[in-house]
Amino acid sequence: MDFTPIINQVVGALWYLIPIGILAATLKSAWFKGVAGEFIVNLSAKLFLDKETYHLVKNVTLPTEDGSTQIDHVIVSKYGVFVIETKNIKGWIFGNPNQKTWTQQIYKHKNKFQNPLHQNYKHTKVLESLLGLNENQVFSVVVFVGDSTFKTEMPENVTYGKGYIRFIKSKVQPVLTELEVKQITSKIEVGRLTPSFKTNREHVKHVKTIVAEKESRQNCPKCGSEMIIREVKKGQNAGNKFWGCSKFPKCRGVVNVT
Ligand SMILES: [Zn+2]
């Protein structure tokens, strides 16, 4: 008996699964998710932000200590420079501005990821330093573009999808002149940031110091006061460092140095 017609029939019936499989793999791929995130930010900027006022610059390369880093989107306007970090993470999101890591939860599966506000804080500081701006002129915005739900209260600059537009539009106080907006936009656009930075190591040191200061700052778990690095004076732990409450001896709050 000849099986060829049957085989042909089976192959004929199954062959459409191949493009479906490719499509499904594409939709699941990190590449597509990245592109989708990009797309949401680009499209909503085009639709909801006036082109005359807001200038979107994509893929901005910034220098860092160990090379360079990429910011997907920077929006320059007289209301400030907005540095946008997109996060493609789905599920329940738990986090607060001061934590080093945030948590993603899908059913019972938990996953930690770097606090995007801290990540973007570095970007905003580098940009401030390179452009000679201050913290009232540069804003950090984090946009979650996956299918996610915040399960803890988030600051107003952490948003879903096109929600970041609302944050940008909430800034209505002009902090830059039209001329400054033009100069900043062209500086960022032509990518003149990297070479100038390489010749000027001061920026790196400057940013490193402020970031380190911010990341290590502690508040007393007992009374909320500032904490100070202290050293154990006696006993077998002598010489070890710890955070002690600045209100000592009135308050005896301590935190381990991590
Ligand atoms: Zn205290």
Side-chain angles (χ1 to χ4, degrees):
M1 191 181 164
D2 185 7
F3 288 102
T4 314
I6 299 169
I7 290 167
N8 281 345
Q9 226 176 334
V10 171
V11 170
L14 289 180
W15 109 269
Y16 70 90
L17 289 175
I18 296 165
I20 288 179
I22 291 170
L23 182 67
T26 305
L27 291 173
K28 274 189 184 169
S29 72
W31 169 80
F32 178 79
K33 283 178 182 168
V35 169
E38 288 282 277
F39 182 73
I40 290 168
V41 173
N42 290 341
L43 182 71
S44 45
K46 282 211 179 77
L47 289 177
F48 304 109
L49 292 174
D50 173 27
K51 252 206 324 229
E52 296 295 306
T53 312
Y54 298 93
H55 308 275
L56 173 69
V57 190
K58 287 180 273 185
N59 304 324
V60 177
T61 305
L62 286 185
T64 59
E65 278 170 82
D66 37 16
S68 63
T69 183
Q70 189 113 42
I71 307 180
D72 295 336
H73 303 91
V74 176
I75 291 176
V76 186
S77 75
K78 63 181 172 186
Y79 305 113
V81 177
F82 300 89
V83 180
I84 301 170
E85 166 88 11
T86 46
K87 278 275 138 202
N88 211 310
I89 292 181
K90 60 179 179 180
W92 288 354
I93 311 292
F94 300 84
N96 76 49
N98 299 320
Q99 285 171 321
K100 275 224 168 95
T101 55
W102 286 9
T103 304
Q104 166 200 39
Q105 185 177 351
I106 299 170
Y107 299 104
K108 282 186 176 165
H109 186 77
K110 287 182 186 173
N111 209 358
K112 285 197 184 301
F113 59 99
Q114 213 197 328
N115 178 344
L117 283 169
H118 285 187
Q119 259 176 323
N120 211 33
Y121 180 77
K122 250 177 235 182
H123 294 163
T124 57
K125 288 297 157 189
V126 174
L127 210 56
E128 262 174 35
S129 174
L130 290 172
L131 296 167
L133 299 174
N134 65 50
E135 58 184 19
N136 300 317
Q137 296 169 310
V138 182
F139 301 101
S140 162
V141 190
V142 174
V143 187
F144 278 80
V145 292
D147 183 12
S148 59
T149 309
F150 301 147
K151 300 304 272 188
T152 44
E153 204 181 306
M154 290 291 175
E156 57 174 355
N157 61 336
V158 178
T159 69
Y160 303 113
K162 66 179 174 63
Y164 78 95
I165 301 282
R166 201 178 322 120
F167 174 78
I168 288 177
K169 286 191 170 171
S170 75
K171 303 293 172 198
V172 292
Q173 193 81 32
V175 290
L176 294 166
T177 65
E178 291 294 342
L179 181 64
E180 285 171 321
V181 169
K182 270 198 192 123
Q183 288 169 338
I184 290 168
T185 309
S186 76
K187 253 192 197 174
I188 299 176
E189 266 175 347
V190 297
R192 256 189 288 142
L193 297 172
T194 310
S196 70
F197 192 85
K198 274 180 186 153
T199 59
N200 192 352
R201 289 270 141 205
E202 284 308 299
H203 287 295
V204 181
K205 266 200 239 155
H206 174 64
V207 169
K208 200 178 164 188
T209 314
I210 36 182
V211 168
E213 258 173 32
K214 177 168 166 106
E215 279 182 355
S216 65
R217 213 178 294 152
Q218 293 277 350
N219 286 93
C220 176
K222 284 194 172 166
C223 72
S225 300
E226 230 176 274
M227 301 200 89
I228 299 165
I229 294 263
R230 297 185 194 278
E231 219 179 275
V232 181
K233 291 274 155 60
K234 285 181 255 175
Q236 57 178 11
N237 292 327
N240 285 2
K241 300 251 190 326
F242 66 96
W243 289 97
C245 183
S246 58
K247 293 279 148 64
F248 181 85
K250 235 164 71 189
C251 171
R252 290 175 179 268
V254 289
V255 172
N256 288 330
V257 170
T258 46

